[in-house]
């Protein structure tokens, strides 16, 4: 009966349906008499293994929110001990986020966001359609991971000359991103998209970087902060990003726990 | 710049090779421009001001940087021939995951034992490198290619490392074939494709250039 294509079951007229939809009941013939098939959405199972302060996890949360996808959020205790489920679903990297879609895992935040975009392609588009614009979005998302994350991490975990060097690299990276944004409202142009999703979670960590590094991001990159505040007006972003001070408190707590400065 | 497709590259680069293979698979004519990485051209610095690295694919004057981004760009732009990524979202995600893994793990580990002096860290890197290759061999399973029946994105991402295997084996002091025989079978299967064999340099040439560079670094 019917043909399963991804998450949606297409019932052709005259089929006996075993699902419940608004037209019929299980065991009854599909009453649709037009040549157009009736679609019945099968229950989707979407689970996200995540860790609330993770900017990578936030990317997955944002993509799911933008697409309006219902999912079960499972908090992993990365400090106390990873769950058996996480180790089973991501045995290679053992990291969050892991998106589990109908039992099948997808790992690595940028790969998860692209998967969400492609698996729910009929909904709000995250990546641009044009191949060159897609390549640019991927390039800069990769840049964020290689440069911004790395130097940001150094800013908050090192001291002295090492920290100073990290601050320079961090700010240079942000300025480059500000240049890429230009005068557009979003990195995606008129529409909030993939690269905005890749970067906005870092805004949640700005207060932490600024406090540890003793500098102001807004002073050097005012357009970037304007962009961040524009993004925060979106419900998906407002609901996803933890408050900046909560992340700072978390970092202090972890540093204390592990006897770090 | 008159050619429609130009590739700024460096002959021993496994990243540059990925783009060469992708272009060959799609049958795209292009101009190959060799960069001297000790003396980078103004064009390279203009086209990749952020990283200043090869490969850079220049298509109608517009640059695409980062090898895996370039391979996907090639696949999406010339989509009528030889699809490189699978069509289903999960297949794509898997291919992307493992290609990303290659760059994060075995590539970085390989750099450690090629370019650093002997010691505990280097020994640990060698062991982990082999473990990574075994993981990849597991992912291949009994398929002819990582892409299944058809050579694709993940095959392209990994096969270019084959040109470095002799260098890895010599300086790592191990035999990849002994540890991962199925992987070597897959390598040889890929090398039967003209698109691959014409894009990869000879293993010994790569080994020689690695030996020279190790001397410069004072590791040899």
């Amino acid at each position: 009966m019917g043909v399963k294509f991804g998450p949606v079951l297409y019932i052709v007229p005259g089929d006996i349906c075993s699902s419940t939809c608004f037209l019929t009941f299980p065991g009854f013939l599909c009453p649709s008499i037009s040549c157009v098939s009736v679609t019945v959405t099968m229950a989707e199972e979407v689970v996200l293994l995540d860790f609330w302060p993770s900017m990578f996890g936030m990317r997955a949360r944002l993509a799911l929110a933008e697409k309006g996808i219902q999912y079960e959020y499972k908090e992993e205790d990365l400090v106390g001990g990873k769950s058996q489920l996480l180790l089973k679903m991501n045995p290679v990297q053992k990291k969050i986020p892991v998106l589990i879609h109908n039992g099948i895992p997808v790992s690595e935040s940028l790969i998860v966001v692209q998967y969400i975009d492609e698996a729910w392609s009929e909904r709000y588009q995250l990546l641009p359609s044009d191949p060159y614009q897609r390549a640019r979005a991927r390039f800069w998302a990769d840049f964020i991971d290689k440069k911004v994350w790395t130097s940001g991490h150094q800013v908050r975990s090192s001291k002295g000359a090492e920290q100073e060097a990290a601050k320079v690299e961090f700010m240079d990276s942000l300025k480059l991103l500000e240049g890429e944004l230009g005068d557009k409202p979003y990195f995606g142009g008129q529409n909030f998209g993939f690269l905005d999703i890749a970067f906005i979670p870092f805004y949640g960590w700005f207060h932490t970087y600024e406090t540890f590094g003793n500098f102001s991001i807004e002073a050097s990159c005012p357009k970037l902060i304007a962009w961040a505040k524009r993004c925060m007006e979106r419900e998906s972003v407002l609901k996803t990003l933890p408050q900046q001070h909560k992340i700072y408190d978390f970092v202090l707590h972890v540093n204390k726990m592990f006897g770090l400065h | 710049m008159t050619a429609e497709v130009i590739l700024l590259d460096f002959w021993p680069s496994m990243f540059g090779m990925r783009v060469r293979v992708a272009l060959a698979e799609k049958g795209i004519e292009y101009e190959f421009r060799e960069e001297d990485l000790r003396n980078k051209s103004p064009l390279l610095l203009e086209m990749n001001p952020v990283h200043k690295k090869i490969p850079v694919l220049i298509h109608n004057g517009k640059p695409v940087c980062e090898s895996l981004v370039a391979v996907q760009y090639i696949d999406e732009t010339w989509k009528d021939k030889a699809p490189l990524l699978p069509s289903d979202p999960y297949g794509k995600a898997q291919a992307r995951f493992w290609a990303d893994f290659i760059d994060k793990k075995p590539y970085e580990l390989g750099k450690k034992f090629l370019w650093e002096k002997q010691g505990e860290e280097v020994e640990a890197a060698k062991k982990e490198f082999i473990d990574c290759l075994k993981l990849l061999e597991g992912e291949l399973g009994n398929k002819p290619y990582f892409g299944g029946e058809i050579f694709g994105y993940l095959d392209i991402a990994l096969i270019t490392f084959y040109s470095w295997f002799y260098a890895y084996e010599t300086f790592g002091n191990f035999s990849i074939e002994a540890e991962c025989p199925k992987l070597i079978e897959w390598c040889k299967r890929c090398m039967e494709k003209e698109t691959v064999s014409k894009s990869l340099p000879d293993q010994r040439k790569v080994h020689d250039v690695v030996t020279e560079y190790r001397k410069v670094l004072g590791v040899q």
Side-chain angles (χ1 to χ4, degrees):
Chain A
M1 56 145 285
V3 172
K4 189 155 194 285
F5 181 77
V8 179
L9 182 70
Y10 290 85
I11 316 259
V12 295
D15 261 4
I16 293 176
C17 182
S18 64
S19 300
T20 307
C21 73
F22 64 92
L23 281 181
T24 188
F25 300 100
F28 280 76
L29 289 173
C30 174
S32 172
I33 56 169
S34 70
C35 293
V36 176
S37 17
V38 170
T39 61
V40 175
T41 306
M42 298 291 272
E44 287 265 39
E45 200 202 45
V46 182
V47 177
L48 180 67
L49 306 183
D50 201 347
F51 181 50
W52 73 267
S54 164
M55 62 234 353
F56 304 106
M58 286 177 223
R59 289 169 169 173
R61 281 173 248 166
L62 283 168
L64 289 165
E66 287 289 323
K67 294 277 193 181
I69 297 160
Q70 300 285 330
Y71 67 99
E72 184 190 345
Y73 179 96
K74 283 197 182 175
E75 184 74 17
E76 282 287 326
D77 178 6
L78 296 189
V79 177
K82 294 172 182 178
S83 73
Q84 285 303 308
L85 183 62
L86 173 57
L87 299 176
K88 179 182 162 196
M89 291 287 144
N90 189 1
V92 176
Q93 310 277 27
K94 304 176 177 60
K95 287 181 175 179
I96 58 91
V98 180
L99 183 82
I100 312 173
H101 185 199
N102 294 329
I104 299 172
V106 179
S107 309
E108 291 301 310
S109 64
L110 297 177
I111 293 172
V112 170
V113 174
Q114 290 181 82
Y115 173 80
I116 290 167
D117 201 28
E118 291 159 358
W120 286 272
S121 57
E122 72 283 4
R123 303 191 189 189
Y124 183 81
Q125 204 180 330
L126 302 176
L127 268 150
S129 337
D130 169 68
Y132 181 68
Q133 294 307 324
R134 289 161 77 86
R136 275 187 92 100
R138 287 175 179 139
F139 171 85
W140 285 105
D142 174 71
F143 171 84
I144 289 164
D145 285 0
K146 281 181 174 142
K147 296 280 178 174
V148 178
W149 186 83
T150 313
S151 57
H153 181 75
Q154 283 291 94
V155 164
R156 69 164 179 95
S157 59
S158 66
K159 274 193 161 155
E162 213 184 315
Q163 191 189 43
E164 286 306 310
K167 274 161 69 173
V168 169
E169 196 183 343
F170 182 77
M171 284 317 303
D172 284 349
S173 303
L174 257 49
K175 282 178 190 152
L176 277 172
L177 279 159
E178 197 180 51
E180 174 60 14
L181 177 66
D183 292 318
K184 306 193 294 292
Y186 300 106
F187 282 97
Q190 293 305 312
N191 300 315
F192 180 83
F194 179 76
L195 188 49
D196 302 279
I197 287 176
F199 192 37
I200 193 60
F202 283 72
Y203 181 63
W205 283 72
F206 277 9
H207 172 65
T208 302
Y209 295 139
E210 288 174 316
T211 311
F212 276 88
N214 191 29
F215 63 102
S216 159
I217 294 172
E218 185 154 20
S220 305
C221 299
K223 280 190 164 179
L224 213 55
I225 297 301
W227 161 81
K229 289 179 176 168
R230 188 177 301 123
C231 290
M232 289 297 289
E233 288 170 8
R234 287 179 83 78
E235 200 182 309
S236 64
V237 181
L238 191 63
K239 288 194 168 174
T240 297
L241 260 61
Q243 287 170 322
Q244 292 200 31
H245 75 86
K246 283 192 174 162
I247 289 181
Y248 177 68
D249 291 343
F250 160 75
V251 174
L252 283 184
H253 170 73
V254 169
N255 284 355
K256 219 185 224 175
M257 251 178 74
F258 290 100
L260 305 168
H261 59 275
Chain B
M1 240 192 316
T2 48
E4 186 187 296
V5 183
I6 298 172
L7 179 63
L8 305 184
D9 202 346
F10 178 51
W11 72 266
S13 164
M14 51 192 75
F15 302 106
M17 287 173 222
R18 285 168 171 174
V19 188
R20 282 174 240 166
V21 175
L23 289 166
E25 282 288 307
K26 297 281 188 177
I28 299 160
E29 299 275 324
Y30 68 97
E31 182 189 336
F32 181 97
R33 287 200 196 173
E34 183 74 14
E35 283 286 329
D36 175 1
L37 297 188
R38 293 159 304 181
N39 185 19
K40 293 173 182 177
S41 72
L43 184 64
L44 172 57
L45 300 176
E46 183 198 335
M47 291 286 139
N48 190 1
V50 173
H51 297 303
K52 304 176 178 55
K53 286 180 173 178
I54 58 90
V56 181
L57 180 78
I58 310 173
H59 183 205
N60 291 330
K62 293 199 282 197
V64 179
C65 309
E66 291 302 304
S67 65
L68 296 177
V69 175
V71 172
Q72 290 183 80
Y73 173 81
I74 289 165
D75 198 30
E76 291 166 1
T77 303
W78 288 275
K79 53 185 190 281
D80 300 327
K81 185 184 173 186
L84 302 177
L85 271 155
S87 47
D88 71 296
Y90 182 67
K92 286 188 163 100
Q94 281 296 90
R96 287 173 180 143
F97 174 84
W98 286 105
D100 176 69
F101 170 80
I102 289 164
D103 287 357
K104 281 181 174 148
K105 290 282 178 150
Y107 172 68
E108 290 297 323
L109 293 162
K111 269 179 17 183
K112 230 176 164 55
F113 68 81
L114 285 181
W115 311 128
E116 289 181 25
K117 282 197 166 141
Q118 276 297 330
E120 258 180 53
E121 264 186 51
V122 164
E123 283 311 303
K126 286 179 193 174
K127 191 187 171 300
E128 209 185 331
F129 178 83
I130 292 291
D131 288 344
C132 289
L133 293 187
K134 284 183 177 157
L135 268 175
L136 285 158
E137 195 181 49
E139 174 60 17
L140 176 68
N142 291 320
K143 306 193 297 288
Y145 300 106
F146 282 95
E149 293 301 314
I150 301 167
F151 178 85
Y153 179 81
L154 184 49
D155 301 281
I156 293 176
L158 185 59
I159 191 52
T160 61
F161 280 64
Y162 182 61
S163 63
W164 281 65
F165 276 12
Y166 183 60
Y168 285 137
E169 288 175 317
T170 308
F171 300 113
N173 193 27
F174 48 69
S175 155
I176 295 175
E177 186 153 20
E179 303 280 354
C180 305
K182 279 192 159 175
L183 203 63
I184 297 298
E185 263 177 46
W186 162 81
C187 290
K188 290 175 176 171
R189 187 176 302 123
C190 292
M191 288 296 284
E192 287 170 9
K193 290 171 71 66
E194 205 176 88
T195 53
V196 176
S197 59
K198 289 202 166 172
S199 302
L200 266 57
D202 182 69
Q203 288 196 6
R204 302 231 163 211
K205 283 194 177 159
V206 172
H207 167 269
D208 291 348
V209 100
V210 170
T211 307
E212 278 310 304
Y213 196 54
R214 280 168 61 92
K215 284 187 189 146
V216 166
L217 289 173
V219 176
Q220 188 80 334

